[in-house]
Amino acid sequence: MKEYKLLDINSAIRQIHFPKDFEEFKIARKRLVFEELLSMQLALLSLKNQYKVEQKGIQYKKDIKMSDIINTLPFKLTKAQLRVLEEIDEDMERSKPMNRLLQGDVGSGKTIVAIIAAYKAVKCGYQMTIMAPTAILAAQHLEGFETILNPFGIKCELLTSAISKKKKEEILERLKQGEIDILIGTHAILEENVEFKNLGLVITDEQHRFGVRQRKIISQKGNNPDVLVMTATPIPRTLALILYGDLDISIIDELPPNRKKIDTFAVTKGLEQRVNMFIKKQIEEGRQAYIVCPLVEENEEINAKSVLEVAEKYKNEVFKEYKVEYLHGKMKAKEKDNIMEQFKRGDIDILISTTVIEVGVNVPNSSIMVIENSERFGLAQLHQLRGRVGRGEYKSYCILKYQGNSEVIRQRMKVMQDTNDGFIISEKDLELRGTGEFFGTKQHGLPEFKIANLFEDMPILKMVQSLAIRIIQEDPSLKNLQNERCRKMVKEKFGNRLEI
């Protein structure tokens, strides 16, 4: 309190409710924000320490070179990909377990980085596993991994809940015997009966769907394996350093040369007719379209168009000459996979969907993405959705339909039209919406902030960060008497997530 000129807690609470003037309010708020951010930082650093204290990890051989596989690829890697691979290679050759976050914008080529790291692990005599959030994405990874790694005699296998009991038993047996080098799957990999002979590398894709705890479960299936976490949700770097306090960070900040810029247009209701004509023109040219809606069922209070309602209208009226299908989160996994498969094959012209399609699915023939009620989505999410198109050789478009005319809506639509850079977009998103919504607790397992705003309170956050580092260096498990209150504060917030 002395060092940072902070109010005592009782005065702060009284003063924030009944301040005499704005200055008093600011002083009270600073104390409460400071405390909230400090407990988060201490918790994250304790987590990082838990990883550090662990025994030695695997030290991979220097003579198995990533360049052996890079030189066989049918395309050239970008400078950013090569830089990131160098960081991963150095991590793998150290005796300390790798714990790295790989951030890359939609389509920046993270998967190929994962494949090259997997090659090194397997050729050094270890197994590796990659966990994806959906069965479709896992199957897509399998395709990519096999295409590149089969020529090297590396055996890949897929494990999802849809696999028959008999086949699953056979896979688990081969995995245990070490006959499978790479296991690609969904949450199914976390199950207790999944045993590896010699797990050396764990990669999780789309980190915000897997928490720290799941990372730990999967790591315990090996003896301190290296961990690489991949995410396509760009977070401003300052923030990433703070949120993923327990991970080192690599960023792929350039797109491969073949990625086409996606033209984005924001339109109001008046232009609906023109948008429909444009979709028809694209389909006539042989392309496919996504239409994304914010809700599944109609809710009186919310005038957002539901998937089912839009599907009805498009199937029977607007696009009745085309094959229109819909997809939403309440459908059974098998149904969803089946429809996605048809869309990939080109049997469906227009796919109407909720945001279930935002993660990683690759349909190079789809060139148009229409987002209904786009004012209801966060910018980072709009950017993710937009990244579903522009994956093939065709010019691609994203059309944002919006309602309302507030300054914030207009600003957000402008950001989407002006830039395709996910990092700029995420900074803007934070600025316009604040952090509560930006992260949504589910995404990373951190408690919601009651009062702090990571964007506005960055100066306090930086102060707090250096203080937290100092406290943890002197007293890693907050056992000393003077840190008693800090320890209590962290424990109250983060409870069983930390072994403090």
Side-chain angles (χ1 to χ4, degrees):
M1 279 165 58
K2 279 201 193 80
E3 188 179 341
Y4 293 96
K5 303 188 176 52
L6 299 171
L7 271 186
D8 67 278
I9 187 70
N10 292 339
S11 311
I13 286 174
R14 194 169 50 245
Q15 211 163 292
I16 197 148
H17 288 98
F18 307 107
K20 286 199 192 68
D21 51 31
F22 200 65
E23 200 44 46
E24 264 201 5
F25 169 80
K26 276 193 344 210
I27 292 167
R29 184 179 179 277
K30 180 184 171 185
R31 154 69 205 230
L32 298 170
V33 167
F34 197 97
E35 179 173 323
E36 189 163 45
L37 294 177
L38 182 62
S39 62
M40 177 189 74
Q41 276 317 100
L42 287 172
L44 283 169
L45 290 172
S46 312
L47 261 181
K48 199 166 189 171
N49 266 2
Q50 279 172 31
Y51 283 120
K52 271 190 187 149
V53 180
E54 282 171 7
Q55 327 76 341
K56 281 168 65 126
I58 298 159
Q59 195 161 6
Y60 290 89
K61 300 198 235 7
K62 284 189 168 22
D63 57 351
I64 301 279
K65 298 206 177 341
M66 289 182 170
S67 54
D68 296 344
I69 184 172
I70 293 173
N71 297 334
T72 67
L73 295 174
F75 48 83
K76 275 181 76 138
L77 295 180
T78 61
K79 281 198 201 61
Q81 284 170 317
L82 291 167
R83 185 188 66 240
V84 164
L85 279 166
E86 210 170 298
E87 293 169 349
I88 291 171
D89 201 23
E90 280 172 18
D91 274 359
M92 290 177 83
E93 288 173 4
R94 281 198 197 105
S95 61
K96 173 181 165 280
M98 162 163 81
N99 232 345
R100 189 168 283 281
L101 173 73
L102 173 59
Q103 279 197 310
D105 214 335
V106 183
S108 60
K110 294 179 294 296
T111 311
I112 190 67
V113 169
I115 292 173
I116 294 165
Y119 165 83
K120 177 153 181 137
V122 172
K123 286 297 178 194
C124 288
Y126 291 91
Q127 291 168 300
M128 77 79 64
T129 183
I130 176 164
M131 189 159 76
T134 64
I136 298 169
L137 198 54
Q140 195 172 289
H141 278 325
L142 180 73
E143 228 170 274
F145 272 69
E146 285 192 326
T147 310
I148 290 166
L149 296 176
N150 275 1
F152 295 95
I154 291 173
K155 294 188 208 58
C156 305
E157 195 55 80
L158 183 68
L159 183 68
T160 63
S161 50
I163 286 171
S164 71
K165 193 164 179 273
K166 192 165 173 249
K167 174 105 164 93
K168 191 176 173 185
E169 281 166 9
E170 177 227 328
I171 290 174
L172 294 180
E173 190 47 43
R174 284 171 47 221
L175 189 68
K176 208 167 153 182
Q177 299 306 328
E179 291 163 27
I180 293 172
D181 300 311
I182 294 178
L183 184 67
I184 299 170
T186 51
H187 283 80
I189 293 177
L190 294 171
E191 288 168 17
E192 249 170 76
N193 58 355
V194 178
E195 289 175 54
F196 292 83
K197 185 180 181 190
N198 194 8
L199 179 62
L201 174 64
V202 172
I203 299 183
T204 57
D205 193 4
E206 288 300 336
Q207 162 57 18
H208 63 270
R209 316 234 161 173
F210 301 114
V212 176
R213 205 178 290 133
Q214 286 160 316
R215 234 161 53 211
K216 226 170 172 176
I217 292 174
I218 200 165
S219 295
Q220 283 161 351
K221 292 181 182 287
N223 196 358
N224 292 337
D226 282 359
V227 176
L228 180 68
V229 168
M230 303 197 299
T231 177
T233 311
I235 302 172
R237 194 178 179 113
T238 33
L239 222 75
L241 288 167
I242 288 153
L243 289 175
Y244 294 103
D246 59 323
L247 300 170
D248 299 307
I249 292 177
S250 291
I251 295 181
I252 304 183
D253 49 12
E254 63 178 310
L255 290 181
N258 59 344
R259 283 293 300 221
K260 298 212 171 8
K261 184 180 174 301
I262 301 161
D263 287 353
T264 303
F265 304 97
V267 301
T268 51
K269 189 124 182 75
L271 289 172
E272 199 155 48
Q273 217 53 45
R274 274 177 69 180
V275 171
N276 293 343
M277 292 309 292
F278 184 64
I279 296 173
K280 283 183 178 171
K281 186 169 168 288
Q282 288 286 310
I283 296 174
E284 291 303 326
E285 286 172 19
R287 303 293 76 75
Q288 290 161 280
Y290 286 108
I291 294 177
V292 176
C293 312
L295 283 178
V296 179
E297 277 125 17
E298 191 58 273
N299 175 332
E300 264 75 46
E301 300 150 67
I302 301 176
N303 67 351
K305 299 183 177 173
S306 71
V307 169
L308 305 173
E309 198 197 344
V310 171
E312 190 73 6
K313 183 177 159 199
Y314 282 1
K315 255 183 179 170
N316 304 327
E317 297 168 35
V318 190
F319 299 112
K320 55 176 183 284
E321 64 271 45
Y322 304 118
K323 180 92 167 86
V324 179
E325 275 302 342
Y326 64 86
L327 196 63
H328 57 70
K330 293 192 176 156
M331 289 161 77
K332 290 197 174 67
K334 236 188 172 116
E335 257 182 295
K336 280 195 271 197
D337 291 353
N338 184 12
I339 285 181
M340 237 13 259
E341 217 24 74
Q342 287 182 49
F343 191 62
K344 269 181 91 162
R345 282 203 308 267
D347 302 342
I348 294 173
D349 299 312
I350 298 175
L351 182 62
I352 299 168
S353 165
T354 52
T355 53
V356 285
I357 54 133
E358 84 181 77
V359 181
V361 184
N362 203 1
V363 184
N365 189 44
S366 55
S367 65
I368 185 160
M369 163 67 69
V370 178
I371 301 175
E372 303 274 351
N373 292 100
S374 57
E375 74 283 355
R376 300 186 171 275
F377 295 89
L379 292 183
Q381 200 176 20
L382 289 174
H383 179 63
Q384 284 280 323
L385 289 165
R386 169 166 70 182
R388 295 299 112 234
V389 294
R391 292 177 161 246
E393 64 218 79
Y394 311 107
K395 175 87 190 113
S396 291
Y397 307 89
C398 174
I399 297 171
L400 305 172
K401 293 181 170 179
Y402 69 96
Q403 290 175 1
N405 203 13
S406 74
E407 183 54 32
V408 171
I409 292 177
R410 282 207 304 273
Q411 271 181 315
R412 290 172 59 205
M413 294 302 139
K414 185 169 171 9
V415 173
M416 291 304 296
Q417 291 181 95
D418 289 352
T419 180
N420 267 299
D421 181 324
F423 289 95
I424 295 175
I425 287 170
S426 69
E427 297 242 320
K428 277 288 181 211
D429 206 12
L430 259 181
E431 201 177 324
L432 294 170
R433 292 205 301 166
T435 38
E437 270 185 89
F438 178 81
F439 288 111
T441 319
K442 288 197 291 292
Q443 282 200 351
H444 53 68
L446 284 176
E448 276 286 359
F449 293 115
K450 299 259 189 324
I451 186 165
N453 172 328
L454 290 181
F455 195 82
E456 291 166 15
D457 296 321
M458 203 50 97
I460 300 183
L461 190 49
K462 286 181 176 153
M463 267 194 281
V464 161
Q465 205 170 15
S466 53
L467 171 65
I469 289 168
R470 208 166 71 207
I471 294 173
I472 291 282
Q473 272 169 352
E474 289 165 13
D475 180 14
S477 35
L478 302 175
K479 291 263 190 306
N480 298 352
L481 197 61
Q482 82 252 34
N483 292 326
E484 183 57 40
R485 300 234 340 241
C486 285
R487 186 184 160 154
K488 206 170 147 217
M489 182 169 83
V490 171
K491 201 112 179 102
E492 271 168 18
K493 264 216 159 126
F494 290 81
N496 58 5
R497 260 173 272 191
L498 290 170
E499 293 150 23
I500 291 188

